[in-house]
Amino acid sequence: QVQLVESGGGLVQPGGSLRLSCVASESIFSTYHMGWYRQAPGKQRELVAQITSGGNTNYADSVKGRFTISRDNAKNTVHLQMNSLKPEDTAVYYCNAEKPVGGAWLTYWGQGTQVTVSS
């Protein structure tokens, strides 16, 4: 069982920055693909950014050029640097860990951290 603990959310003005962090409990963190998802009120959860176990990254079109995902395998940590924040980035952000196991996906979620972009 992998436990994921997010931190770094909060209230920020439009144009500001926040850095989210997610610490995983498992020492084999490096074998997991890590991602950040978000869910705004009344909307479905959506992928924001993902970084594979090999370090490849993928971003939602809406955040390309503004958000950067990174991982530190030595510290079992994944970060999401969010710059030039917009009101539409307001959502609960969830950390995700997944890896393929025996033809299926083993998936874990954090509890979420609120990001509010407002003046």
Side-chain angles (χ1 to χ4, degrees):
Q1 182 80 10
V2 175
Q3 292 185 334
L4 304 173
V5 179
E6 301 107 332
S7 62
L11 173 64
V12 64
Q13 292 186 343
S17 298
L18 282 175
R19 188 188 194 212
L20 304 183
S21 298
C22 171
V23 180
S25 62
E26 196 160 298
S27 61
I28 55 173
F29 167 86
S30 63
T31 66
Y32 286 84
H33 306 317
M34 300 299 299
W36 288 95
Y37 287 71
R38 67 187 181 188
Q39 187 166 19
K43 294 187 177 181
Q44 289 187 330
R45 190 174 297 190
E46 63 175 359
L47 175 67
V48 176
Q50 186 182 57
I51 184 165
T52 68
S53 58
N56 295 317
T57 58
N58 179 44
Y59 296 92
D61 288 343
S62 59
V63 307
K64 283 180 180 177
R66 300 188 298 123
F67 291 10
T68 302
I69 189 170
S70 61
R71 65 190 298 160
D72 184 342
N73 290 336
K75 296 182 178 179
N76 294 352
T77 301
V78 61
H79 300 289
L80 184 68
Q81 178 66 43
M82 305 186 294
N83 299 327
S84 302
L85 283 160
K86 304 175 181 180
E88 51 263 43
D89 295 316
T90 295
V92 178
Y93 284 70
Y94 296 91
C95 181
N96 165 272
E98 63 180 19
K99 68 176 181 180
V101 177
W105 284 92
L106 187 62
T107 303
Y108 298 98
W109 293 94
Q111 81 286 354
T113 185
Q114 177 70 47
V115 171
T116 302
V117 184
S118 176
S119 55

